[in-house]
Amino acid sequence: QGYLVESGGGLAQTGGSLRLSCAAAGRTFSGYARGWFRRAAGKEREFVAVISESGLIRTYVDSVKGRFTISRDKAKDTVYLQMNNLKPEDTGVYYCAASDLTSMVKSGTANFWGQGTQVTVSS
């Protein structure tokens, strides 16, 4: 079956940076687009960023454009989310996902999910 494993979450101050990683385990996910979602306390899960299988297409939610960068290392079958200039509203549990790009961007759904990693940004 395989699964996705997130790491890199933690506590940061406003204006700080964190880098999340999402590694594949048990199988390869290199044939899928890969995405990041987040869920703040009391809110629904929202799309954050996605990168196509080729790595050529990257899409972001407006609130993170210019601050977050998604990338992938196909040799390591790992996806990263570099988060700069963090804001308190970025706080939440971040989930990585693997699926087709359209489903993740338009429907917020995915075939495979990680367990999530907590990101907390203090003001």
Side-chain angles (χ1 to χ4, degrees):
Q1 177 75 3
Y3 51 96
L4 300 169
V5 182
E6 301 100 335
S7 61
L11 178 65
Q13 292 185 333
T14 297
S17 299
L18 287 172
R19 187 194 194 206
L20 305 183
S21 299
C22 174
R27 59 160 290 173
T28 178
F29 292 94
S30 60
Y32 292 93
R34 303 279 287 275
W36 287 96
F37 294 76
R38 65 187 179 190
R39 187 194 303 271
K43 295 186 178 181
E44 294 187 352
R45 183 177 62 206
E46 68 167 343
F47 164 80
V48 175
V50 69
I51 186 168
S52 64
E53 177 199 351
S54 66
L56 297 178
I57 299 172
R58 306 180 193 197
T59 302
Y60 302 89
V61 67
D62 286 347
S63 60
V64 308
K65 286 180 179 177
R67 301 188 298 119
F68 290 12
T69 302
I70 189 171
S71 62
R72 69 188 297 167
D73 184 333
K74 297 205 81 172
K76 295 182 179 179
D77 207 358
T78 298
V79 174
Y80 306 95
L81 186 68
Q82 178 66 45
M83 306 186 293
N84 298 328
N85 192 20
L86 284 163
K87 303 176 180 180
E89 52 263 42
D90 295 319
T91 295
V93 179
Y94 283 69
Y95 300 90
C96 71
S99 192
D100 62 283
L101 188 145
T102 301
S103 293
M104 287 192 282
V105 175
K106 293 190 175 182
S107 306
T109 59
N111 294 111
F112 304 94
W113 293 94
Q115 81 288 353
T117 185
Q118 176 71 43
V119 170
T120 303
V121 184
S122 62
S123 57

